Amino acid sequence: MTRWSPGTRVSLVLFDLDGTLSDSAPGITSSMRRALTHHGLEVPSDDVLNSFVGPPFRVSLEGIGLPPERVDEVVTTYRTDYEAGRLFENELYPGIRDVLAGLADAGTTVAVATSKPQATARRIVEHFGLAPHLAGGLEGVFGADVTNPRDTKADVIARALAHLQREPDADVVMVGDRLHDVEGAAKHGIATIGVSWGYAAPDELRDAGAAAVVDSADDLAALLLPGASRPLD
């Protein structure tokens, strides 16, 4: 299987949400801080909490030493607080709306593949008015299955590909900000473009095997729409 490489046009782009389309850290870290405090657990530093943005919470919570049997109670409390309104403590990154619009106008299929619960992700996409740029509107937002605590980014991508009736190929690419995006896509033979404005540690994306890393929405558009004279408005 030949994977995408810079300079190759794409027909399908899967976008991560947190740290890629929007800066969602304020709401996420605030709700996680409240959840840990509620359960009498130590709250880690801001840097550690920021690293929670993107990966499945089970990975992050077990990574700081939380016993596996306590993860579900913390996540349940977190979701109650977050979905009550903190999910909207969030803003789009500069130029992202124009990237999505430019891709859709060029006939590229665009979808969201996130480790955030699917219903929550759809609320956020709808809030920002991004659905018109996605395949099938809100049906083009694929998120975690909350009934499966071991759901992975690779699982989300698999559901997206199945729904869109696509096979991984050189014209399919993932766009994300964390190693979990790169690794999840790689399990399907899909290349990832990393974005540096998210929550990755230095060199995390390149070390994980990202095909390219970009520093701005204009640079991202240039990779996804090669040959376009002015992809962004």
Side-chain angles (χ1 to χ4, degrees), residues 12 14 109-111 135-136 139-140 142 159-166:
L12 169 62
L14 301 173
T109 299
V110 180
E139 293 297 313
F142 304 90
R159 289 193 292 274
L161 293 172
H163 181 88
L164 296 168
Q165 299 182 323
R166 290 295 305 268

Side-chain angles (χ1 to χ4, degrees), residues 40-63:
L41 297 165
E42 182 178 353
V43 178
S45 69
D46 289 347
D47 285 344
V48 173
L49 282 176
N50 281 333
S51 75
F52 280 31
V53 183
F57 280 133
R58 179 168 294 275
V59 173
S60 298
L61 288 168
E62 291 182 5

Side-chain angles (χ1 to χ4, degrees), residues 25-219:
I28 291 173
T29 57
S30 179
S31 288
M32 183 54 70
R33 188 178 290 109
R34 286 169 176 258
L36 291 167
T37 300
H38 176 82
H39 291 283
L41 297 165
E42 182 178 353
V43 178
S45 69
D46 289 347
D47 285 344
V48 173
L49 282 176
N50 281 333
S51 75
F52 280 31
V53 183
F57 280 133
R58 179 168 294 275
V59 173
S60 298
L61 288 168
E62 291 182 5
I64 63 169
L66 188 67
E69 64 271 16
R70 300 209 63 184
V71 169
D72 288 345
E73 64 185 271
V74 172
V75 172
T76 296
T77 301
Y78 161 85
R79 286 179 178 158
T80 298
D81 186 79
Y82 186 70
E83 292 173 10
R86 292 188 191 280
L87 74 167
F88 298 132
E89 294 179 13
N90 195 349
E91 62 181 20
L92 292 181
Y93 287 109
I96 282 297
R97 188 185 305 277
D98 291 330
V99 172
L100 299 183
L103 287 166
D105 289 347
T108 305
T109 299
V110 180
V112 172
T114 173
S115 292
K116 195 178 232 57
Q118 183 164 289
T120 305
R122 288 181 174 180
R123 288 180 66 191
I124 292 170
V125 167
E126 184 175 35
H127 171 74
F128 285 125
L130 301 180
H133 308 309
L134 306 181
L138 290 179
E139 293 297 313
V141 180
F142 304 90
D145 177 1
V146 296
T147 68
N148 177 10
R150 295 293 178 181
D151 205 41
T152 67
K153 192 56 171 275
D155 295 328
V156 175
I157 293 171
R159 289 193 292 274
L161 293 172
H163 181 88
L164 296 168
Q165 299 182 323
R166 290 295 305 268
E167 294 291 333
D169 208 337
D171 62 351
V172 179
V173 69
M174 179 80 203
V175 178
D177 72 306
R178 297 299 308 274
L179 64 87
H180 305 85
D181 300 310
V182 182
E183 293 172 349
K187 288 186 177 180
H188 299 283
I190 296 172
T192 297
I193 299 173
V195 299
S196 67
W197 54 78
Y199 309 113
D203 297 323
E204 176 181 321
L205 290 162
R206 293 195 186 279
D207 289 348
V213 178
V214 296
D215 298 323
S216 70
D218 283 308
D219 291 342

